[in-house]
């Protein structure tokens, strides 16, 4: 039982068809200790109904049964499903029956009486492929949900290499006013507004075609009915595995209200208004316009709030009386970048408008994100006397982005776990390695962006193991010289799987796979790099991976005691591992042990 993949088997459902109730009961009792669920039937008709109404992974069926025999049952199942493994059991080694079974597509043929351990090993052989297929299906499902979320909340189109539209979603059709048939096969010139300069499109094509990078910007478009609208666009080339452009995908958000407000404010010319009554009347009109669609506030030169509209109060959950005379510090979120606030003040005090994203919190502690335009207001002497802030609530968009990032992180973890499952290791190994790596990166002083990339990429350090044969990967005991050379190939295999990706996280994972078995003194593999020739991501992951591997049971060894592991790290300082990383490890050992205990197998 130790040699079977218990974790995978616990996900498997079996349909066992046997008309001898004693054999059925005894076999079911044993199988239920190994797999997730066992369905039983005494004839083919019952079995077919169970198969059609349940998710069955493997079928084990006798041949000779009343009502419907095992051969007819297998034939009917194969008419519906060509992939599900079918194991035939029989007390007779009849050549005609055997030939029929082969013609139908039976997976295995076992003679009775059953050897239960042999049966479990056969089930285990099928289970690994079934589990991997389920994992791939889960990932595909996540990606499909990811696509559907984007499709519902954004304006999406796809374009071929020649610039002709190949796909539009419903929001694109709705905002443009054109039908799907009018759009497919046309270029985006069909909605291009003449106010856009040619330089914008030259730069856009130069970015996405020549540099193969993402282009972002604001475009003014023209709907079929002649009305203009504004979109914030992100356009990305989609590449094949060789890095060639297949098509382009564009994702847009409708920002027409914000842009029209901004244009309106630009037209206001307060310094030319000499009569106070006219100024007040003009201000009333402009406030009425922007109050309808935006979150508006005004504040004086000292930063104290002098006005808020109803939409502001509703979002922030404070009454108007609670806000007037206060500064924005009372709603500033603790995650606010102070440098952004300083840059904003510097810009508006110089007489220019500032635009950017703000993060605030409401009276009850809710977090919300704003897309803001803050402009100075001038008197007739062209002096700044107050500032106006016009904002749009983009919290749903930010939350969507976070959900997409979480989805990406989940997919990467699942990919890492596939590599570990093949080598009979646990998914918690990749979680612990990720947490250890993140902690070491922080202690080492890496930038926050690099820490996050390493945290997300390190779970795939051993993804190359998917290409190592089982007889080497799961061999109990020490590998011989030839087997060790095969095992060492997993670093390069992982690198080659990921190296052509244009995603920053996957590129980092390729480097980690390639470098995490290099050693500080140059005695590692596959390139025999030394010291800082080894990427810092690889040096950090090496410490994390070895610490966790030594403390875990593997098919070829028992887990080491902590004292023995620490002694090895002292010996391998400046040999296997970078000295600074070893020192940081020992200085913060309790933090590493806390992670180990949190994600225990």
């Amino acid at each position: 039982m130790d040699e079977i993949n218990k974790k995978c088997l616990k996900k498997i459902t079996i349909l066992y068809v046997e008309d001898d109730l004693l054999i059925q009961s005894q076999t079911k009792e044993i199988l239920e200790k190994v797999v997730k669920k066992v369905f039983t039937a005494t004839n083919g008709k019952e079995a077919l109904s169970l198969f059609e109404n349940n998710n069955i992974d493997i079928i084990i069926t006798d041949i000779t049964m009343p009502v419907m025999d095992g051969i007819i049952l297998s034939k009917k199942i194969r008419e519906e499903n060509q992939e599900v493994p079918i194991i035939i059991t029989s007390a007779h080694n009849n050549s005609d029956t055997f030939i029929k079974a082969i013609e139908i597509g039976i997976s295995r043929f076992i003679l009775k009486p059953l050897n239960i351990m042999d049966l479990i090993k056969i089930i285990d052989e099928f289970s690994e492929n079934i589990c991997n297929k389920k994992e791939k299906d889960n990932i595909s499902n996540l990606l499909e949900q990811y696509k559907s979320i984007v499709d519902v909340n954004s304006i999406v189109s796809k374009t071929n290499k020649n610039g002709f539209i190949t796909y539009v979603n419903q929001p694109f059709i709705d905002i443009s006013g054109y039908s799907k048939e009018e759009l497919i096969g046309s270029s985006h010139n069909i909605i291009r507004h003449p106010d856009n300069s040619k330089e914008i499109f030259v730069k856009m094509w130069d970015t996405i075609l020549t540099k193969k990078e993402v282009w972002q910007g604001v475009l003014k478009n023209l709907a079929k009915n002649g009305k203009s609208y504004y979109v914030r666009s992100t356009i990305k080339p989609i590449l094949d595995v060789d890095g060639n452009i297949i098509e382009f995908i564009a994702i847009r958000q409708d920002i027409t209200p914000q842009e029209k407000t901004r244009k309106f404010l630009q037209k206001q010319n307060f310094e030319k208004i000499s009569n106070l009554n006219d100024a007040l009347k003009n201000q009333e009109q402009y406030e009425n316009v922007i109050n309808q669609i935006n979150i508006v506030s005004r504040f004086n030169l000292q930063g104290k709030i002098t006005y808020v509209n109803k939409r502001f109060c509703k979002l922030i959950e404070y009454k108007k009386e609670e806000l007037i005379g206060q500064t924005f510090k009372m709603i500033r979120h603790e995650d606010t970048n102070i440098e952004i606030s300083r840059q904003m003040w510097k810009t508006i005090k110089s007489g220019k408008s500032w635009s950017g994203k703000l993060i605030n919190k409401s009276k009850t502690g809710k977090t919300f994100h704003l897309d803001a335009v803050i402009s100075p207001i001038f008197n007739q002497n062209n002096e700044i006397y107050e500032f106006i802030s016009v904002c749009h609530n983009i919290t749903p968009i930010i939350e969507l982005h976070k959900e997409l990032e979480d989805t990406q992180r989940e997919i990467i973890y699942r990919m890492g776990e596939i590599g570990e499952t093949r080598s009979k290791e646990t998914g918690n190994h990749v979680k612990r390695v990720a947490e250890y790596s993140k902690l070491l990166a922080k202690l080492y002083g890496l930038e926050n962006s690099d820490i996050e990339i390493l945290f997300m990429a390190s779970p795939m350090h051993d993804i190359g193991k998917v290409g190592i044969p089982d007889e080497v990967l799961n061999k109990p005991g020490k590998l011989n010289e030839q087997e060790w050379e095969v095992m060492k190939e997993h670093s390069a295999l992982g690198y080659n799987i990921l190296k052509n990706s244009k995603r920053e996280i996957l590129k980092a994972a390729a480097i980690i796979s390639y470098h995490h078995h290099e050693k500080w003194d140059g005695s590692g593999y596959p390139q025999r790099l030394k010291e800082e020739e080894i990427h810092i991501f690889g040096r950090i992951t090496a410490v994390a991976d070895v610490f966790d591997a030594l403390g875990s049971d593997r098919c070829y060894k028992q887990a080491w005691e902590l004292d023995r592991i620490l002694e090895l790290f002292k010996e391998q300082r400046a040999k296997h591992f970078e000295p600074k990383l070893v020192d940081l490890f020992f200085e913060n050992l309790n933090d590493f042990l806390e992670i180990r205990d949190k994600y225990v197998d």
Side-chain angles (χ1 to χ4, degrees), residues 23 26 31 62 72 136 157 454 491 569:
I23 295 175
Q26 291 173 341
L31 290 179
D62 190 15
I72 296 174
K136 290 175 183 177
S157 68
L454 174 59
S491 291
F569 270 88

Side-chain angles (χ1 to χ4, degrees), residues 488-509:
K488 291 197 295 185
E489 291 175 3
H490 81 272
S491 291
L493 285 171
Y495 174 71
N496 289 326
I497 289 170
L498 301 169
K499 68 179 182 180
N500 290 322
S501 174
K502 301 302 177 182
R503 300 287 184 184
E504 194 169 12
I505 292 169
L506 297 184
K507 287 193 291 185

Side-chain angles (χ1 to χ4, degrees), residues 256-273:
T256 305
Q258 300 98 295
E259 280 298 304
K260 287 188 174 180
T261 299
R262 190 175 67 82
K263 297 287 185 184
F264 179 84
L265 291 174
Q266 286 179 342
K267 292 179 180 179
Q268 299 306 300
N269 201 355
F270 284 90
E271 66 268 24
K272 292 184 179 180
I273 302 174

Side-chain angles (χ1 to χ4, degrees), residues 471-487:
E471 59 268 21
V472 174
L473 194 62
N474 295 311
K475 178 182 177 180
K478 188 175 181 180
L479 301 177
N480 62 37
E481 185 176 345
Q482 183 179 1
E483 290 167 336
W484 177 238
E485 290 303 316
V486 172
M487 176 64 84

